[in-house]
Amino acid sequence: MMGAKASTVAAGVAGALFVGYCVYFDRKRRSDPNFKKRLQERRRKQKSSQEKTGLTRLPDLKDSEAVQKFFLEEIQLGEELLAQGDSEKGVDHLTMSTIPTGDCEKGVDHLTNAIAVCGQPQQLLQVLQQTLPPPVFQILLTKLPTISQRIVSAQSLAEDDIE
Protein backbone atom coordinates (compact mmCIF):
# COMPACT_ATOMS: atom_id res chain seq x y z
CA MET A 1 0.00 0.00 0.00
CA MET A 2 2.77 2.41 0.91
CA GLY A 3 4.78 1.49 -2.20
CA ALA A 4 1.84 2.23 -4.51
CA LYS A 5 1.22 5.56 -2.82
CA ALA A 6 4.90 6.51 -3.04
CA SER A 7 5.07 5.56 -6.73
CA THR A 8 1.91 7.60 -7.44
CA VAL A 9 3.42 10.61 -5.70
CA ALA A 10 6.71 10.11 -7.56
CA ALA A 11 4.85 9.90 -10.90
CA GLY A 12 2.91 13.06 -10.05
CA VAL A 13 6.08 14.94 -9.13
CA ALA A 14 7.83 13.73 -12.29
CA GLY A 15 4.84 14.84 -14.41
CA ALA A 16 4.78 18.25 -12.74
CA LEU A 17 8.53 18.66 -13.29
CA PHE A 18 8.17 17.73 -16.95
CA VAL A 19 5.33 20.21 -17.49
CA GLY A 20 7.33 22.88 -15.67
CA TYR A 21 10.35 22.12 -17.87
CA CYS A 22 8.21 22.46 -21.03
CA VAL A 23 6.65 25.73 -19.88
CA TYR A 24 10.02 27.19 -18.90
CA PHE A 25 11.72 26.43 -22.20
CA ASP A 26 8.69 27.43 -24.27
CA ARG A 27 8.60 30.79 -22.49
CA LYS A 28 12.36 31.17 -22.97
CA ARG A 29 12.04 30.34 -26.69
CA ARG A 30 9.12 32.72 -27.23
CA SER A 31 10.78 35.57 -25.39
CA ASP A 32 13.87 35.27 -27.61
CA PRO A 33 13.89 38.46 -29.76
CA ASN A 34 15.02 36.50 -32.81
CA PHE A 35 12.24 33.91 -32.53
CA LYS A 36 9.49 36.21 -33.78
CA LYS A 37 11.70 37.58 -36.53
CA ARG A 38 12.61 34.09 -37.74
CA LEU A 39 8.99 32.95 -37.62
CA GLN A 40 7.76 36.02 -39.52
CA GLU A 41 10.52 35.65 -42.09
CA ARG A 42 9.74 31.96 -42.60
CA ARG A 43 6.05 32.72 -43.11
CA ARG A 44 6.83 35.64 -45.43
CA LYS A 45 9.18 33.46 -47.48
CA GLN A 46 6.56 30.72 -47.73
CA LYS A 47 3.87 33.19 -48.77
CA SER A 48 6.08 34.88 -51.36
CA SER A 49 7.18 31.56 -52.85
CA GLN A 50 3.53 30.54 -53.22
CA GLU A 51 2.65 33.88 -54.82
CA LYS A 52 5.59 33.68 -57.23
CA THR A 53 4.67 30.25 -58.47
CA GLY A 54 0.93 30.93 -58.36
CA LEU A 55 0.31 27.78 -56.38
CA THR A 56 -2.91 27.10 -54.57
CA ARG A 57 -2.68 26.81 -50.81
CA LEU A 58 -3.24 23.21 -49.74
CA PRO A 59 -5.76 22.48 -46.97
CA ASP A 60 -4.95 20.87 -43.65
CA LEU A 61 -4.74 17.22 -44.68
CA LYS A 62 -5.99 16.07 -41.26
CA ASP A 63 -9.30 17.93 -41.72
CA SER A 64 -11.34 15.65 -43.98
CA GLU A 65 -14.06 18.25 -44.57
CA ALA A 66 -11.52 20.86 -45.72
CA VAL A 67 -9.82 18.29 -47.96
CA GLN A 68 -13.13 17.28 -49.53
CA LYS A 69 -14.09 20.91 -50.16
CA PHE A 70 -10.65 21.63 -51.63
CA PHE A 71 -10.88 18.53 -53.84
CA LEU A 72 -14.26 19.51 -55.27
CA GLU A 73 -13.19 23.13 -55.85
CA GLU A 74 -10.00 22.05 -57.62
CA ILE A 75 -11.84 19.58 -59.87
CA GLN A 76 -14.41 22.23 -60.76
CA LEU A 77 -11.79 24.92 -61.44
CA GLY A 78 -9.68 22.51 -63.48
CA GLU A 79 -12.63 21.46 -65.62
CA GLU A 80 -13.75 25.07 -66.15
CA LEU A 81 -10.28 26.27 -67.15
CA LEU A 82 -9.74 23.33 -69.48
CA ALA A 83 -13.15 23.96 -71.06
CA GLN A 84 -12.28 27.64 -71.56
CA GLY A 85 -8.95 26.74 -73.14
CA ASP A 86 -10.60 24.14 -75.39
CA SER A 87 -13.36 26.47 -76.54
CA GLU A 88 -10.91 29.26 -77.35
CA LYS A 89 -8.35 27.19 -79.25
CA GLY A 90 -9.91 23.79 -79.79
CA VAL A 91 -8.37 20.55 -78.63
CA ASP A 92 -7.15 19.62 -82.11
CA HIS A 93 -4.22 22.04 -81.92
CA LEU A 94 -2.66 20.03 -79.08
CA THR A 95 0.07 17.60 -79.99
CA MET A 96 2.64 15.86 -77.86
CA SER A 97 5.24 18.44 -78.79
CA THR A 98 3.16 21.47 -77.81
CA ILE A 99 2.35 22.36 -74.24
CA PRO A 100 -0.93 24.15 -73.63
CA THR A 101 -0.58 27.57 -72.10
CA GLY A 102 -2.85 29.88 -70.19
CA ASP A 103 -6.12 28.38 -69.04
CA CYS A 104 -5.19 24.82 -70.01
CA GLU A 105 -2.00 24.94 -67.96
CA LYS A 106 -3.85 26.37 -64.96
CA GLY A 107 -6.57 23.76 -65.37
CA VAL A 108 -3.99 20.98 -65.31
CA ASP A 109 -2.47 22.51 -62.16
CA HIS A 110 -5.85 22.44 -60.42
CA LEU A 111 -6.49 18.84 -61.46
CA THR A 112 -3.04 17.90 -60.17
CA ASN A 113 -3.90 19.47 -56.81
CA ALA A 114 -7.11 17.46 -56.71
CA ILE A 115 -5.26 14.23 -57.46
CA ALA A 116 -2.78 14.99 -54.69
CA VAL A 117 -5.46 15.18 -51.99
CA CYS A 118 -7.70 12.47 -53.46
CA GLY A 119 -8.30 9.38 -51.37
CA GLN A 120 -8.23 7.12 -54.43
CA PRO A 121 -5.91 8.77 -56.96
CA GLN A 122 -5.66 5.71 -59.22
CA GLN A 123 -9.39 5.72 -59.91
CA LEU A 124 -9.39 9.48 -60.52
CA LEU A 125 -6.46 9.11 -62.91
CA GLN A 126 -8.35 6.43 -64.84
CA VAL A 127 -11.37 8.70 -65.18
CA LEU A 128 -9.19 11.64 -66.26
CA GLN A 129 -7.35 9.45 -68.77
CA GLN A 130 -10.66 8.61 -70.40
CA THR A 131 -11.99 12.18 -70.41
CA LEU A 132 -8.93 14.36 -71.12
CA PRO A 133 -7.15 14.64 -74.46
CA PRO A 134 -3.95 12.54 -74.42
CA PRO A 135 -1.53 15.52 -74.52
CA VAL A 136 -3.25 17.19 -71.58
CA PHE A 137 -3.23 13.91 -69.64
CA GLN A 138 0.50 13.50 -70.33
CA ILE A 139 1.16 16.98 -68.95
CA LEU A 140 -0.91 16.08 -65.90
CA LEU A 141 1.23 12.99 -65.33
CA THR A 142 4.45 14.99 -65.60
CA LYS A 143 3.22 17.42 -62.92
CA LEU A 144 2.29 14.77 -60.37
CA PRO A 145 5.78 14.42 -58.81
CA THR A 146 6.02 18.16 -58.18
CA ILE A 147 2.73 18.27 -56.31
CA SER A 148 3.76 15.38 -54.07
CA GLN A 149 6.96 17.25 -53.22
CA ARG A 150 4.87 20.33 -52.45
CA ILE A 151 2.64 18.40 -50.07
CA VAL A 152 5.64 17.01 -48.19
CA SER A 153 7.22 20.46 -47.91
CA ALA A 154 3.91 22.03 -46.83
CA GLN A 155 3.56 19.46 -44.07
CA SER A 156 7.11 20.02 -42.87
CA LEU A 157 6.58 23.81 -42.83
CA ALA A 158 3.37 23.38 -40.87
CA GLU A 159 5.25 21.23 -38.35
CA ASP A 160 8.02 23.87 -38.15
CA ASP A 161 5.46 26.55 -37.25
CA ILE A 162 4.45 24.50 -34.23
CA GLU A 163 7.95 24.83 -32.77
Side-chain angles (χ1 to χ4, degrees), residues 1-157:
M1 185 80 172
M2 290 291 258
K5 188 175 183 180
S7 64
T8 304
V9 169
V13 168
L17 286 173
F18 178 73
V19 170
Y21 174 82
C22 292
V23 169
Y24 168 76
F25 281 105
D26 185 54
R27 184 176 303 242
K28 186 176 179 182
R29 176 184 61 98
R30 288 179 183 257
S31 65
D32 181 16
N34 293 328
F35 171 72
K36 290 181 182 178
K37 291 177 186 175
R38 287 190 308 252
L39 185 61
Q40 288 172 346
E41 186 170 320
R42 184 182 317 136
R43 288 180 180 166
R44 193 178 315 120
K45 188 186 305 181
Q46 180 183 7
K47 187 177 179 181
S48 67
S49 69
Q50 282 183 348
E51 289 173 357
K52 286 180 186 175
T53 57
L55 296 175
T56 307
R57 181 165 168 79
L58 293 172
D60 179 14
L61 298 177
K62 295 175 186 167
D63 184 2
S64 62
E65 188 175 311
V67 170
Q68 184 178 14
K69 181 181 176 191
F70 177 79
F71 172 77
L72 293 173
E73 288 174 353
E74 290 298 298
I75 289 288
Q76 183 179 8
L77 278 170
E79 288 176 347
E80 289 174 3
L81 289 170
L82 285 173
Q84 287 175 2
D86 291 347
S87 66
E88 289 174 5
K89 303 171 190 133
V91 180
D92 297 333
H93 81 286
L94 297 174
T95 63
M96 292 304 279
S97 62
T98 62
I99 298 175
T101 58
D103 291 339
C104 286
E105 188 76 22
K106 290 177 185 174
V108 169
D109 288 340
H110 286 290
L111 290 176
T112 307
N113 290 338
I115 292 168
V117 298
C118 181
Q120 299 171 337
Q122 293 299 326
Q123 291 178 345
L124 180 58
L125 281 171
Q126 289 174 351
V127 170
L128 291 173
Q129 185 176 15
Q130 294 170 358
T131 57
L132 293 175
V136 175
F137 185 72
Q138 288 300 319
I139 293 168
L140 180 77
L141 290 178
T142 59
K143 288 185 177 246
L144 284 177
T146 59
I147 191 66
S148 63
Q149 291 171 351
R150 223 181 103 214
I151 288 177
V152 170
S153 67
Q155 286 177 338
S156 66
L157 284 174

